[in-house]
Amino acid sequence: QRNRRAGAASSLAGAADELMVTVHVNTQGGMLGVFQLPHVASVEDLKERICEKARVLTQEQRIVLAMTNEELADSKRLWELRAQTSDPVVVSLHMSPLNLVALGGGVGSGTRLYIWDLERAKVLRELKDASDTVLCSACDWSSLWALTGGWEPSLRLWDLATGKVVRELSGYTECAIHCVAADWGAQKALSGGQDCMLRLWDLQNWAQIHAWVAHHHPIFCIAFDWNSQRAVSG
């Protein structure tokens, strides 16, 4: 009886393994990683996992099956790849950077942050975690982070790979934030808004460094260079 139980447990473990597919993802620089996904998952699901790890939008990824050099459609199922090749499935990741911009839109519960492909004039991704109207944004496309400001008195840090707001920078009173610029290398940001003040932020320690009255009217545009310690606002 004990042997039968052990055999049944072994069979269940084998069945569980059958339901998972191991995928080795290589790049020109070497192996990116090993991913385990359900056998019913698609190439698009694999791209989402790669997006979280490598910080590359799914629309900028091309997945090529190593054995056949075939570029895989997003709808392709992993069980099909395992049947076509072996386990683990080996693929290579090729990246095609896009000309992107992030813009806010909508009001109330319909507020969104949209990622646009400017060359094709189409929305690539619609992020729904915006509890506030997005009036301005500053993006780091190399690592998929974005800062946004809106009617509420705080800056929000977005993880564009997951589409979620992960941090908030507070320091404003009850006023809208109209513009924000970021030097991602220096981990500094500058924002302006309805209160006529410029505010300098430390993105590494998530703190306001300085705030000063810069205009007699609300500030709607801003640009700055941390290395030269200069900014332009209007």
Side-chain angles (χ1 to χ4, degrees):
Q1 187 176 6
R2 189 175 302 166
N3 290 337
R4 284 199 299 269
R5 287 176 182 173
S10 177
S11 297
L12 288 173
D17 289 340
E18 288 278 328
L19 296 176
M20 301 298 292
V21 176
T22 302
V23 184
H24 290 198
V25 179
N26 299 319
T27 66
Q28 289 184 338
M31 178 176 283
L32 173 66
V34 177
F35 300 85
Q36 278 206 318
L37 294 95
H39 75 294
V40 294
S42 65
V43 170
E44 185 174 11
D45 296 323
L46 174 62
K47 285 184 174 182
E48 290 287 352
R49 293 281 298 275
I50 292 173
C51 178
E52 294 177 16
K53 182 179 179 66
R55 317 298 296 177
V56 181
L57 289 177
T58 58
Q59 293 85 355
E60 296 181 303
Q61 300 177 33
R62 292 173 49 239
I63 304 297
V64 175
L65 189 62
M67 181 174 287
T68 63
N69 208 30
E70 168 197 358
E71 183 173 347
L72 301 174
D74 287 350
S75 58
K76 193 87 168 181
R77 299 290 174 179
L78 298 189
W79 65 264
E80 297 179 82
L81 300 182
R82 184 165 64 180
Q84 186 176 345
T85 59
S86 61
D87 195 5
V89 175
V90 181
V91 300
S92 57
L93 169 65
H94 300 264
M95 289 166 279
S96 304
L98 301 173
N99 188 10
L100 303 171
V101 66
L103 299 172
V107 292
S109 61
T111 299
R112 301 287 188 269
L113 181 65
Y114 298 95
I115 299 178
W116 282 81
D117 177 350
L118 294 182
E119 293 179 5
R120 296 169 180 79
K122 62 182 291 188
V123 173
L124 295 183
R125 200 159 192 176
E126 179 183 336
L127 310 183
K128 302 179 181 181
D129 199 25
S131 58
D132 182 26
T133 300
V134 178
L135 300 177
C136 57
S137 64
C139 300
D140 180 10
W141 295 112
S142 63
S143 58
L144 294 184
W145 297 106
L147 274 175
T148 64
W151 292 115
E152 293 186 7
S154 63
L155 288 170
R156 287 175 165 81
L157 178 70
W158 291 73
D159 182 344
L160 298 179
T162 63
K164 300 296 183 183
V165 174
V166 294
R167 294 290 293 265
E168 288 194 26
L169 283 167
S170 300
Y172 279 88
T173 53
E174 294 298 321
C175 77
I177 303 171
H178 293 149
C179 52
V180 61
D183 186 325
W184 295 97
Q187 289 290 284
K188 299 294 187 295
L190 195 64
S191 63
Q194 192 70 25
D195 61 359
C196 311
M197 298 184 71
L198 286 174
R199 296 176 187 269
L200 181 64
W201 305 88
D202 182 342
L203 300 181
Q204 191 167 11
N205 297 309
W206 298 103
Q208 181 176 281
I209 300 173
H210 190 61
W212 59 97
V213 177
H215 293 264
H216 298 296
H217 300 284
I219 303 169
F220 289 95
C221 57
I222 197 167
F224 89 114
D225 177 55
W226 179 250
N227 292 329
S228 64
Q229 302 284 290
R230 293 178 182 273
V232 178
S233 60

